[in-house]
Amino acid sequence: MEGFGVFQVPEAICEQTVMDALQAGYRLIDTASSYQNEEAVGRAIRNSGIPREELFVTTKAYIQQMGYENTRKAFEESLEKLGLSYLDLYLIHMPFGDYYGSWRALEDLYREGSVRAIGVCNFLPDRLLDLCYNVDIQPQINQIERHPHYQRKEDLALMKELGVQPQAWAPFAEGLKGMFTEPVLAEIAKKHGKTVAQVILRWNVQQGVIVIPKSVHRERMEENLNIWDFSLDEEDMAAIATLDKNCPSMLDTRKISEVKRVYDYLRNPVLTSL
């Protein structure tokens, strides 16, 4: 499955961006309270003319919204901003704060039918396993940074064992560390008559990972969707495996400096800082 993410898409252009994505064929739209663009996403959904049941809408609760009551309130606020009567997927955005209290809220929302699926983001294997061992309803999705430079084999193996669906945010790592100029990826792209971006997306989905690429350009939205008419062979997959640097390019929740940065976002919520 392939969806469309709106991280770092400013409110001013988000409505038109989501409209373009829906017109291009996307049906999974991923946002978050911390992205500050839920209202624009909601307007695009309402103005698209697409039946609600054909869409899959995701949003997330951030750190300051952790704890049972806080998360219940955050859910209602997001639902109101989106202008929806239910969510398809609600996620805990970070493995910080009272996320156990929040998970109990998500379980209740799921039981009540207010959300069709619940999950987490950025949970490393130890925290994911601990959560799964201590809750009534296990996460159905773990949304993680995942790309050729950070392939996370241990994470994927554990999620498969637990029955948790992996979903890749920033599948291109925003082009960091020369992602789009990797010779291995360029050669594979040339072989299949595709772009490096398409190869990266195809590499993910062939391993059972949902992808949610982002672009504000219509032609790239369409390009990113055009990955279903080719397959990577064993040689391609083995070559991409050699690119694994085994470390994040964008978010490392085990680094003290990164945890401080995430919490600083609460005091100065600038879209480009998270």
Side-chain angles (χ1 to χ4, degrees), residues 61-68 70-71 92 96-99 102:
Y62 200 58
I63 303 169
Q64 81 279 18
Q65 298 167 322
M66 293 296 95
Y68 185 90
N70 285 341
T71 298
I92 291 174
F96 302 125
D98 180 18
Y99 61 79
S102 294

Side-chain angles (χ1 to χ4, degrees), residues 212-258:
I212 46 172
K214 179 211 78 177
S215 178
V216 297
H217 304 289
R218 177 66 181 265
E219 64 275 12
R220 289 182 185 167
M221 295 178 193
E222 294 172 350
E223 174 188 308
N224 289 341
L225 273 180
N226 189 21
I227 62 169
W228 306 102
D229 59 351
F230 78 109
S231 295
L232 302 177
D233 57 33
E234 291 184 6
E235 182 181 0
D236 299 330
M237 300 298 277
I240 296 173
T242 67
L243 301 178
D244 192 4
K245 302 179 187 295
N246 199 32
C247 65
S249 297
M250 301 186 65
L251 176 69
D252 189 344
T253 58
R254 285 183 172 158
K255 276 189 176 181
I256 292 174
S257 59
E258 286 289 273

Side-chain angles (χ1 to χ4, degrees), residues 95-167:
F96 302 125
D98 180 18
Y99 61 79
Y100 270 96
S102 294
W103 190 257
R104 290 194 298 273
L106 265 62
E107 288 179 325
D108 283 349
L109 290 166
Y110 179 77
R111 293 185 184 105
E112 293 161 11
S114 298
V115 59
R116 295 170 59 196
I118 54 178
V120 295
C121 302
N122 304 307
F123 272 57
L124 295 170
D126 54 346
R127 296 213 178 193
L128 180 64
L129 185 60
D130 181 67
L131 182 69
C132 288
Y133 279 167
N134 290 284
V135 297
D136 294 330
I137 302 172
Q138 292 197 166
Q140 289 148 300
I141 281 182
N142 185 17
Q143 192 180 105
I144 58 174
E145 177 186 348
R146 207 262 174 170
H147 44 73
H149 288 162
Y150 191 30
Q151 300 189 16
R152 311 186 72 163
K153 295 177 183 177
E154 178 187 357
D155 301 59
L156 295 190
L158 177 64
M159 283 187 259
K160 183 176 182 180
E161 177 186 334
L162 295 172
V164 177
Q165 171 66 51
Q167 187 176 74

